[in-house]
Amino acid sequence: MKTLFDKIWEKHIVDTLPDGTTQLYIDRLYCHEVTSPQAFAGLKERGLKPFRPERVTCIPDHNIPTLNQDRPIEDPVSKKQVDTLEQHAKDFGLTYYGLLHPRNGIIHVAGPENGLTQPGMTLVCGDSHTSTHGALGAIAFGIGTSEVEMTLATQCLMQRKPKTMRITIDGNRKPGVTAKDMALYIIRKMTTGGATGYFVEYAGEAIRHTTMEDRLTICNLSIEMGARGGMIAPDRVTVDYLKGREFTPRGEAWERAVACWETLHSDHDAVFDKEVVFHAGDIEPMITYGTNPGMGLGIREQIPTLESIDETGRTSFRKALDYMGFQPGDTMAGKKIDYVFLGSCTNGRIEDFRAFASLVEGRKKAPHVTAWLVPGSWMVEKQIRAEGIDRILTEAGFRLRQPGCSACLAMNDDKVPPGKYAVSTSNRNFEGRQGPGSRTILAGPLVAAAAAVTGVITDPRDLLNE
Amino acid sequence: MKEKFTLLTSACVPLPLENVDTDQIIPARFLKATTKEGFGDNLFRDWRYDKEDTPNPDFVLNQDTYKGRILVAGKNFGSGSSREHAAWAIAGYGFRAVVSSFFADIFKNNSMNNGLLPVVVSPGFLAELFASLEKKPATTLTIDLPNQTITNNETHRTESFEINPYKKNCLVNGLDDIDYLLANKSKIEAYEKAQL
């Protein structure tokens, strides 16, 4: 009567304190340049070395430019952070995939596609979107820099076991509805803090019918409702996705691994601390109107009225709408937008580019729209070219950039100017997230594509049906 | 050794907003440092300063009315990014505790790993505290970590708060997890031998 989460957690317990705190073994640590320098410095100050260097992979992704990666990074502070990561990796003998390396990309895209993330693992990174990796049936969660240092020093973390929640999505999703729409729908229903304290397992018919890229998108957004992580039981989709990837086992070891992964599912009588059920048929293409990912709507719906908001939340609601320049009761469809961003650890994978291209093919980018199309990794970029998607995009007036986190958090030059509206396939619409004063409207790749060619918020189904 | 946390009586700085995310606490463009120092200067940067870097007179940190070592915020404080820089910025500014009715998980851990105490109070306690602070800005709070109590010294309302015993021990004694884990290394090696 164990949950999938329980099975993996229990297998990684090194020790349990009398108060229930678990000393948890961590199979893999990913490091990027922003949240690791102080951890490496701390390690050096203590005179320590990484305890298990072979379990650490370092990839710069947050700060890097998305043009001219062959040239030195222009911003000296960004350059220093990237150089610092490379130096620490060198000093400690850690795997490092730097700029232009064929395995470089956003960690949450590159990790799974290189087979570094595998079912049954425990996996951490100094990044909240580490929840992404749960799509392969792993326990993966974001940590702070102190915890990065702990993992480097001992390959362990002191953790309280989170509560478990199962979110079941029955039925099948409608045409024109993407995995991102499913996730934004769930977050809207759960609210931005509604899953705090829980580790979520996604289940149900609509989840079983997803691709691995869909699953990575759904698990990626678990943190946006406060969940510690999200996960999906490995199945045929998982095994097919991993087969032949660089760091997966080979030959007999592969057969053994697959046999083990097949045991990784919640038992029939497993008891979760909380169960939630949604129906895929209720989900429409989604869009956000506010300044947290829980402030979402079906694309044809109206922004709530002030009266419909809980009294304690009205100040924050009003502040959000003031920031966005919207009024309660407004319809989102038809609003003019300025920027479109396709990319990030949420929607920077091959399927997102396929979806975007399917809609813009034979159409033209709206002249006033600035579009940033940023593949999640060099492997995605290569696949885009192999499938001829780049040609479709170029003909429609778009240009492909180089991989990185880019405009998701605007640590590089890809910043949305103050007051401008960006339809973004990323994960956060917080104030200033895409640049000071920027106004972010979160959406999936189809809604982003529809906005890019029409210049206004548009239901993609109107174009798909033309 | 980190600074120990036992008993704290201080005035408070109120921030009565919900869902304050770590991008507001410290925007991403200020995350480029490679040390832990100096983040306090950019705490709540885009609320605290306008585009020309002029202090915004409406923001609480720019007002003389409220000074103190305890930040009081609306529910779901610290959501979003895992950046520990948020905890460094709050602690670096001079706060030693944050009081809210609800915290995001990663922020809570990051705070405790930096000697910054997140205190979860009931929604009723929080509402009353905001009211006290509005009526009397000099209202103080007393946080007693060993006894796990928090008192609004204006209304004399006391409440007990939860904290896991392991983390409480770390905070009260100024210890961190690495000290503990390193002392436990033989268990890690035994685990690896048995499991891997």
Side-chain angles (χ1 to χ4, degrees):
Chain A
M1 52 174 288
K2 284 179 182 168
T3 67
L4 168 63
F5 179 83
D6 293 334
K7 289 180 185 178
I8 301 174
W9 180 273
E10 283 167 16
K11 206 168 176 299
H12 288 83
I13 296 174
V14 173
D15 196 16
T16 307
L17 301 190
D19 75 346
T21 300
T22 305
Q23 182 180 344
L24 190 72
Y25 192 83
I26 302 299
D27 291 318
R28 188 166 299 289
L29 168 69
Y30 292 114
C31 291
H32 65 78
E33 77 278 22
V34 179
T35 58
S36 66
Q38 295 86 352
F40 283 114
L43 205 65
K44 286 181 177 172
E45 268 168 41
R46 291 174 200 255
L48 297 171
K49 285 191 287 199
F51 181 60
R52 294 290 177 252
E54 69 279 9
R55 293 182 176 274
V56 184
T57 307
C58 303
I59 307 180
D61 56 7
H62 277 59
N63 261 303
I64 61 180
T66 53
L67 292 174
N68 304 319
Q69 288 189 3
D70 52 327
R71 295 187 208 152
I73 300 175
E74 276 178 28
D75 175 1
V77 201
S78 291
K79 183 175 187 309
K80 188 182 174 205
Q81 250 187 359
V82 172
D83 290 348
T84 302
L85 178 63
E86 184 170 10
Q87 190 58 49
H88 286 308
K90 204 176 278 175
D91 292 349
F92 289 132
L94 307 175
T95 303
Y96 176 80
Y97 299 139
L99 271 66
L100 299 176
H101 190 287
R103 302 201 182 283
N104 177 269
I106 304 170
I107 283 182
H108 310 314
V109 177
E113 72 186 3
N114 281 296
L116 284 161
T117 301
Q118 292 169 23
M121 279 185 167
T122 49
L123 195 151
V124 296
C125 174
D127 191 289
S128 58
H129 293 108
T130 308
S131 60
T132 312
H133 305 260
L136 289 118
I139 291 182
F141 55 92
I143 56 173
T145 301
S146 296
E147 292 167 313
V148 172
E149 189 180 337
M150 290 168 207
T151 312
L152 283 168
T154 67
Q155 212 59 43
C156 286
L157 284 174
M158 302 303 291
Q159 291 287 306
R160 300 291 288 190
K161 190 178 178 187
K163 289 179 279 186
T164 53
M165 183 191 302
R166 177 159 58 191
I167 296 181
T168 302
I169 308 175
D170 286 338
N172 287 304
R173 63 187 203 235
K174 296 188 280 197
V177 173
T178 65
K180 177 68 163 286
D181 300 313
M182 290 169 75
L184 287 175
Y185 178 87
I186 295 170
I187 299 163
R188 174 199 188 178
K189 292 288 182 189
M190 299 296 300
T191 78
T192 186
T196 303
Y198 290 90
F199 214 99
V200 173
E201 179 180 346
Y202 299 96
E205 192 182 3
I207 295 293
R208 277 199 304 278
H209 290 165
T210 52
T211 63
M212 186 49 67
E213 282 82 358
D214 285 343
R215 295 177 185 190
L216 290 158
T217 299
I218 291 167
C219 289
N220 171 276
L221 289 162
S222 304
I223 182 72
E224 306 311 334
M225 52 183 170
R228 205 74 179 86
M231 66 201 309
I232 293 170
D235 58 9
R236 186 43 55 190
V237 172
T238 320
V239 173
D240 290 347
Y241 175 86
L242 283 170
K243 195 167 173 56
R245 292 193 185 260
E246 183 70 14
F247 295 99
T248 51
R250 298 294 147 104
E252 243 180 80
W254 168 259
E255 300 304 328
R256 274 201 309 275
V258 171
C260 169
W261 298 343
E262 278 165 359
T263 68
L264 296 175
H265 53 78
S266 291
D267 295 331
H268 281 299
D269 49 358
V271 179
F272 290 80
D273 294 304
K274 191 169 179 176
E275 294 255 18
V276 184
V277 179
F278 297 115
H279 306 284
D282 295 341
I283 306 174
E284 303 287 323
M286 295 286 293
I287 197 116
T288 65
Y289 63 91
T291 55
N292 75 56
M295 300 174 88
L297 293 172
I299 194 156
R300 294 177 178 278
E301 286 178 63
Q302 278 109 36
I303 296 173
T305 56
L306 191 64
E307 297 70 45
S308 67
I309 303 294
D310 195 46
E311 215 167 307
T312 61
R314 285 184 192 169
T315 311
S316 306
F317 175 76
R318 213 178 287 123
K319 189 174 187 303
L321 288 195
D322 283 350
Y323 182 85
M324 293 300 293
F326 296 151
Q327 297 296 323
D330 273 4
T331 303
M332 288 296 289
K335 283 193 185 294
K336 188 166 169 273
I337 60 103
D338 310 291
Y339 282 73
V340 166
F341 172 52
L342 174 68
S344 86
C345 59
T346 309
N347 283 121
R349 297 185 183 81
I350 186 64
E351 284 207 351
D352 302 311
F353 282 81
R354 285 180 191 144
F356 191 95
S358 75
L359 198 138
V360 304
E361 183 165 19
R363 297 190 169 91
K364 290 281 179 206
K365 181 182 79 63
H368 74 272
V369 170
T370 303
W372 292 326
L373 276 49
V374 184
S377 70
W378 283 109
M379 281 172 75
V380 171
E381 201 261 2
K382 204 172 146 194
Q383 187 68 21
I384 288 170
R385 294 193 189 282
E387 295 183 17
I389 294 172
D390 56 323
R391 285 199 306 277
I392 297 170
L393 296 173
T394 307
E395 273 165 33
F398 297 93
R399 178 186 176 194
L400 211 54
R401 296 170 83 96
Q402 295 174 318
C405 295
S406 179
C408 174
L409 81 170
M411 281 192 78
N412 66 357
D413 291 335
D414 308 343
K415 288 178 173 56
V416 175
K420 297 290 182 190
Y421 291 100
V423 173
S424 180
T425 65
S426 54
N427 39 58
R428 288 186 176 136
N429 49 352
F430 296 154
E431 286 184 30
R433 172 80 177 182
Q434 298 193 285
S438 61
R439 290 159 159 173
T440 303
I441 297 164
L442 296 176
L446 287 175
V447 172
V453 294
T454 61
V456 296
I457 293 171
T458 304
D459 188 334
R461 293 170 299 191
D462 293 346
L463 302 179
L464 290 168
N465 296 337
E466 263 177 19
Chain B
M1 256 326 219
K2 308 208 167 175
E3 199 181 340
K4 295 179 185 180
F5 196 116
T6 49
L7 193 71
L8 174 70
T9 296
S10 169
C12 314
V13 177
L15 191 65
L17 289 171
E18 295 182 354
N19 303 318
V20 173
D21 58 77
T22 53
D23 273 77
Q24 306 321 312
I25 299 172
I26 181 93
R29 63 187 188 280
F30 298 110
L31 306 185
K32 298 189 183 188
T34 51
T35 65
K36 294 182 185 178
E37 284 75 46
F39 290 104
D41 297 343
N42 294 313
L43 174 65
F44 296 119
R45 180 78 198 194
D46 292 339
W47 288 347
R48 207 166 136 196
Y49 298 95
D50 67 12
K51 271 173 268 176
E52 282 75 42
D53 288 334
T54 312
N56 166 14
D58 297 332
F59 190 62
V60 68
L61 292 189
N62 297 322
Q63 298 165 351
D64 286 331
T65 328
Y66 296 102
K67 297 281 168 207
R69 304 199 73 193
I70 302 171
L71 180 65
V72 183
K75 76 171 179 197
N76 198 27
F77 186 80
S79 56
S81 159
S82 66
R83 60 189 69 166
E84 195 161 316
H85 312 66
W88 298 334
I90 295 171
Y93 184 85
F95 291 112
R96 289 232 60 207
V98 187
V99 175
S100 178
S101 55
F102 194 82
F103 289 94
D105 279 333
I106 306 178
F107 175 79
K108 206 195 243 174
N109 283 342
N110 288 343
S111 298
M112 291 192 285
N113 285 332
N114 287 280
L116 177 71
L117 181 67
V119 183
V120 183
V121 296
S122 66
F125 186 98
L126 187 67
E128 189 181 285
L129 178 55
F130 279 133
S132 301
L133 285 164
E134 200 175 324
K135 213 169 87 193
K136 189 180 167 196
T139 297
T140 62
L141 276 177
T142 297
I143 299 169
D144 180 342
L145 178 56
N147 290 307
Q148 294 178 226
T149 59
I150 179 165
T151 305
N152 176 338
N153 295 317
E154 187 57 24
T155 61
H156 305 289
R157 178 168 174 169
T158 296
E159 207 172 78
S160 60
F161 62 87
E162 291 294 315
I163 181 168
N164 86 57
Y166 169 78
K167 275 292 172 201
K168 175 179 166 182
N169 183 53
C170 287
L171 281 161
V172 170
N173 296 301
L175 300 172
D176 75 12
D177 290 17
I178 296 186
D179 301 326
Y180 177 83
L181 286 165
L182 287 172
N184 222 3
K185 218 162 185 171
S186 58
K187 283 190 181 156
I188 307 172
E189 280 159 353
Y191 167 86
E192 286 180 326
K193 222 169 163 186
Q195 289 288 340
L196 307 172

